[in-house]
Amino acid sequence: MTGAGMQAVNSKRRSTAEDPAPLGPDSLTWRYFGLMVGFTAGTVPQLLQVMHPVLGHAVDEHSNVKEDPFGRFARSMGPIYGVIYDGPQAPETARTVRGFHEAITGTLPSGERYSALNPEVFHWAHATFVHGLIYGFSQIMGPFTRAEQEQLYAEAKQWYRLYGMTMRNVPETLDDFDAYWDRYVDDVLEYTPAAQWLLATFKAPPVPPPLHGFPEPLWRPLGRVIGYLAVVFASGQLPPVARDKLGLPYGLPQRIVHDVILRAVRWSVPLTPARFRYHRRSYAAWQQVAQQQGVRAATLVRRASARGRAPATAGGS
């Protein structure tokens, strides 16, 4: 092997050895983030991301989301789940996700150059998932104690380290994160053209891929009902300041609808079989761990779902 080749191998070995530890089944993030009920509020991080003026402009210039909104979201979420659930391969998955953003550069209307790998921009996209995990899932699966929320935030920083981004701009504690979040919502987020388009799409969604071939005249009124429910539920999950910037009403009728949906979502989780309760990439990780421990994946998930018990210590079935 040439000297250059040996140097490349050694560099790869160093990179692997120095990778931050991936999250595992003993983490609260494993327990909650991969649950399919997260998609009931999936509109929230999407809206909050494109309300960032740089991210919103980047979506307009680089994304095919307008041609395929459902498919684009599904393709984006798979690798993000992988950063959490891919075990020893998670650092490689994280590098792949980061690589998706390398070519996303351009010029803002102000003339300022932008990059999706700008640390503040990249971290805001991550922060929208973190906030939903800590506070959104607390509404659905909790309420979480403050100690549990702080554990989730510590795990979120561990998850973020896998991307190889600088940690200098990452809030140190959950209290710091809360202050950072409020500042961004108040002072940075805008009703961007991308947010305007996305909100209109949520209100009148196209036929989703699983229903391909569904007659358009029949889908149109059904889609508007589904869109109304999705937007009302998102309105209840959005920060009030962001909701006001989007011009979304949230009076008594919307609160009642939101609460009914929230109750239905809560009730659905324990009634859903484990293999359908999690995203397929997440459940595959549970299956792999269960196989290593000699138990059924459903048994491991059930034990993980029991509050106050560590999922990684499951024994025989």
Side-chain angles (χ1 to χ4, degrees):
M1 182 178 289
T2 65
M6 182 65 73
Q7 184 178 10
V9 170
N10 289 338
S11 174
K12 184 176 181 180
R13 286 175 180 165
R14 284 196 302 272
S15 174
T16 302
E18 294 167 3
D19 279 332
L23 295 169
D26 56 335
S27 67
L28 290 178
T29 302
W30 257 59
R31 191 181 305 180
Y32 297 118
F33 189 76
L35 289 168
M36 290 297 291
V37 293
F39 283 94
T40 60
T43 54
V44 174
Q46 292 184 78
L47 282 169
L48 292 171
Q49 287 177 19
V50 298
M51 287 180 75
H52 190 292
V54 175
L55 284 171
H57 191 74
V59 166
D60 278 338
E61 285 198 335
H62 293 275
S63 178
N64 68 341
V65 67
K66 293 184 178 180
E67 290 76 32
D68 184 21
F70 289 112
R72 185 73 184 94
F73 180 58
R75 287 191 296 273
S76 298
M77 286 306 300
I80 291 171
Y81 283 124
V83 179
I84 295 170
Y85 291 96
D86 279 1
Q89 286 73 47
E92 181 180 348
T93 304
R95 286 191 289 271
T96 299
V97 171
R98 174 176 169 164
F100 293 156
H101 296 78
E102 290 178 354
I104 303 177
T105 60
T107 304
L108 296 172
S110 64
E112 182 183 358
R113 295 287 297 172
Y114 73 83
S115 167
L117 287 181
N118 176 295
E120 290 192 14
V121 174
F122 194 90
H123 181 260
W124 173 250
H126 176 74
T128 63
F129 293 118
V130 174
H131 193 273
L133 173 63
I134 294 173
Y135 296 109
F137 275 99
S138 183
Q139 283 193 328
I140 297 171
M141 303 298 297
F144 299 155
T145 66
R146 189 61 175 177
E148 288 173 318
Q149 292 175 337
E150 289 172 344
Q151 179 180 337
L152 283 166
Y153 184 65
E155 292 170 1
K157 291 197 299 180
Q158 182 178 344
W159 158 19
Y160 189 71
R161 285 190 181 93
L162 294 169
Y163 291 117
M165 300 292 292
T166 178
M167 299 295 292
R168 287 195 298 271
N169 63 306
V170 177
E172 182 63 28
T173 67
L174 180 55
D175 288 340
D176 295 336
F177 177 82
D178 290 341
Y180 153 88
W181 179 267
D182 290 342
R183 179 178 64 82
Y184 253 75
V185 170
D186 291 347
D187 301 334
V188 177
L189 301 191
E190 302 173 357
Y191 190 26
T192 63
Q196 183 177 5
W197 171 84
L198 189 60
L199 187 57
T201 302
F202 289 147
K203 290 179 177 179
V207 178
L211 298 180
H212 180 70
F214 195 93
E216 183 66 31
L218 295 179
W219 171 258
R220 200 173 298 117
L222 178 61
R224 289 190 179 277
V225 171
I226 295 172
Y228 170 78
L229 296 175
V231 170
V232 169
F233 190 65
S235 298
Q237 306 294 113
L238 282 165
V241 172
R243 185 171 63 223
D244 291 344
K245 289 181 179 182
L246 293 170
L248 291 172
Y250 196 62
L252 181 60
Q254 290 81 13
R255 292 176 191 275
I256 292 173
V257 172
H258 172 271
D259 290 350
V260 170
I261 296 174
L262 182 60
R263 288 176 184 272
V265 170
R266 284 174 179 162
W267 290 338
S268 73
V269 176
L271 299 177
T272 305
R275 68 170 52 254
F276 302 115
R277 196 179 306 168
Y278 283 89
H279 184 274
R280 62 182 180 275
R281 190 155 182 170
S282 311
Y283 192 69
W286 284 111
Q287 287 179 306
Q288 185 174 11
V289 173
Q291 185 177 17
Q292 293 168 355
Q293 297 188 5
V295 299
R296 294 174 62 248
T299 300
L300 193 62
V301 168
R302 184 174 65 251
R303 293 174 178 176
S305 300
R307 297 188 55 76
R309 298 175 63 182
T313 60
S317 59

